[in-house]
Amino acid sequence: GFVSIMRGCNNFCHYCIVPYTRGRERSRDVESILNEVKDLSAKGYKEVTLLGQNVNSYGKDRGEEDAFASLLRDVCKIEGIERIRFMSSHPRDISEKLLETMAEEEKICNQLHLPLQSGSSKVLSDMNRHYDREKYMGIVKKAKELMPDLSLTTDIIVGFPTETDKDFGDTLSILREVGFDSIFSFIYSPREGTKAAEWENVSTKEEIDKRFRTLLDQQNEISYKLNLRHEGNVEKVLVEGQSKTDPDMMTGRNYANKIVNFKGDESLIGQIIDVKITKAQTWILYGELK
């Protein structure tokens, strides 16, 4: 199940139209959120994802600090909900208390979506992201100290108007250094009304296309290597239904939100079961029932 906990955004990144179309941040009250999660639990949902353009800012429009960490702890108390995720987290507002809450609460999956956008501090400044490479890496270091098995995913924009080959090289180096389980990557496209839409691009389309292919090739290699670490493990999988690519297989997700396919029947849908991972591919894990 998915529960929206807030609307809007206050960050005004120079490539993003969201603050202009959805307005400033507005947090829902805690009681209404908890009631919605309780309703999902009563209907049999076992996993819930809390959604917001920047969930780390939850409650700040009411002058509350660390309200999101407190909300997570409240959701953890709801019976029937066994897994909790959230997205997206803005590095500008992530707190040590939030990371500690993730590490301490068993129901919160050790999986964090932390948008990077660029590995270049100069481009991050041009994007108006309010953090630099050093701060981002500091967050990653702390998160991995608290949660050694943490699964990290991110967003990356290729071809921002001010991005040079050197800037893109900084992005590739962070990819190697962090080891993201997966990335959501995009070629920059201008949005009318944003500041970056007024700028001329310093790179050609051919250069940007080449960078994008390079990024995907490198990430595919990283994702495959990380998935190999799951082989031989017995992991908890929430069964979602039949595999879309193989009707003879059932599919679900482990704590890291990775797709796991295995032989089984529809009676398992909605259950969290033990699956031994027998084979890893770039985007999918295969296993067998324990």
Side-chain angles (χ1 to χ4, degrees):
F2 297 88
V3 177
S4 176
I5 66 170
M6 60 190 301
R7 306 284 185 187
C9 183
N10 290 352
N11 286 301
F12 290 92
C13 299
H14 287 161
Y15 54 81
C16 182
I17 200 68
V18 167
Y20 304 99
T21 57
R22 300 182 189 173
R24 296 298 183 97
E25 291 172 354
R26 304 176 304 285
S27 302
R28 290 178 61 190
D29 65 276
V30 174
E31 185 177 1
S32 69
I33 294 169
L34 296 181
N35 285 339
E36 187 170 344
V37 176
K38 289 174 183 176
D39 183 58
L40 289 173
S41 176
K43 292 176 179 175
Y45 287 79
K46 288 186 170 61
E47 179 179 311
V48 64
T49 301
L50 305 182
L51 301 174
Q53 193 70 26
N54 175 15
V55 290
N56 300 339
S57 288
Y58 176 79
K60 290 186 177 181
D61 54 320
R62 300 192 291 254
E64 303 168 5
E65 290 297 323
D66 291 315
F68 183 52
S70 177
L71 174 66
L72 282 171
R73 290 194 187 274
D74 287 339
V75 175
C76 286
K77 296 173 185 175
I78 297 175
E79 292 186 11
I81 297 298
E82 299 183 39
R83 283 183 176 178
I84 300 164
R85 306 184 195 273
F86 57 87
M87 65 184 306
S88 287
S89 283
H90 196 298
R92 173 189 186 180
D93 299 303
I94 201 164
S95 68
E96 190 166 322
K97 186 169 184 179
L98 173 59
L99 297 177
E100 290 171 349
T101 300
M102 289 181 66
E104 292 167 5
E105 293 286 355
E106 188 176 344
K107 287 185 177 182
I108 302 176
C109 295
N110 285 0
Q111 180 235 331
L112 178 64
H113 185 72
L114 191 66
L116 171 64
Q117 307 304 3
S118 173
S120 162
S121 290
K122 175 188 175 297
V123 173
L124 289 171
S125 177
D126 294 340
M127 289 177 167
N128 198 37
R129 290 290 288 173
H130 303 287
Y131 59 86
D132 58 15
R133 179 190 180 99
E134 184 179 5
K135 178 174 181 179
Y136 187 93
M137 292 304 297
I139 296 168
V140 170
K141 180 181 178 182
K142 184 63 180 179
K144 288 189 173 184
E145 284 175 358
L146 291 168
M147 297 166 281
D149 62 343
L150 180 69
S151 171
L152 268 171
T153 58
T154 197
D155 297 337
I156 291 177
I157 295 173
V158 175
F160 189 73
T162 62
E163 181 189 77
T164 64
D165 278 338
K166 180 182 180 303
D167 295 318
F168 179 67
D170 290 341
T171 296
L172 289 182
S173 70
I174 242 182
L175 225 65
R176 291 188 291 267
E177 191 172 346
V178 172
F180 296 105
D181 285 76
S182 65
I183 64 173
F184 297 89
S185 52
F186 312 88
I187 291 178
Y188 169 79
S189 60
R191 294 291 184 267
E192 186 177 351
T194 61
K195 190 167 184 178
E198 304 169 3
W199 301 342
E200 295 233 358
N201 206 307
V202 299
S203 302
T204 65
K205 181 180 182 303
E206 289 73 24
E207 289 171 330
I208 294 169
D209 287 344
K210 182 179 178 181
R211 289 175 198 161
F212 190 66
R213 290 193 299 271
T214 300
L215 180 80
L216 295 184
D217 288 344
Q218 179 154 313
Q219 182 56 46
N220 287 344
E221 182 180 330
I222 293 169
S223 294
Y224 177 60
K225 286 181 178 178
L226 289 176
N227 275 356
L228 284 175
R229 297 180 182 180
H230 292 265
E231 287 189 352
N233 292 350
V234 176
E235 300 186 355
K236 299 289 185 183
V237 174
L238 175 57
V239 185
E240 297 181 353
Q242 279 189 330
S243 168
K244 294 180 181 178
T245 56
D246 186 346
D248 294 328
M249 303 283 277
M250 300 300 290
T251 190
R253 293 178 184 267
N254 65 1
Y255 77 94
N257 213 26
K258 294 178 183 289
I259 296 172
V260 180
N261 285 353
F262 59 93
K263 290 281 188 181
D265 59 65
E266 293 186 358
S267 66
L268 297 172
I269 295 174
Q271 296 184 45
I272 295 179
I273 61 170
D274 288 330
V275 176
K276 183 176 181 179
I277 307 302
T278 56
K279 180 182 178 182
Q281 293 187 346
T282 305
W283 305 118
I284 298 178
L285 302 173
Y286 290 91
E288 58 189 26
L289 291 173
K290 285 295 293 180

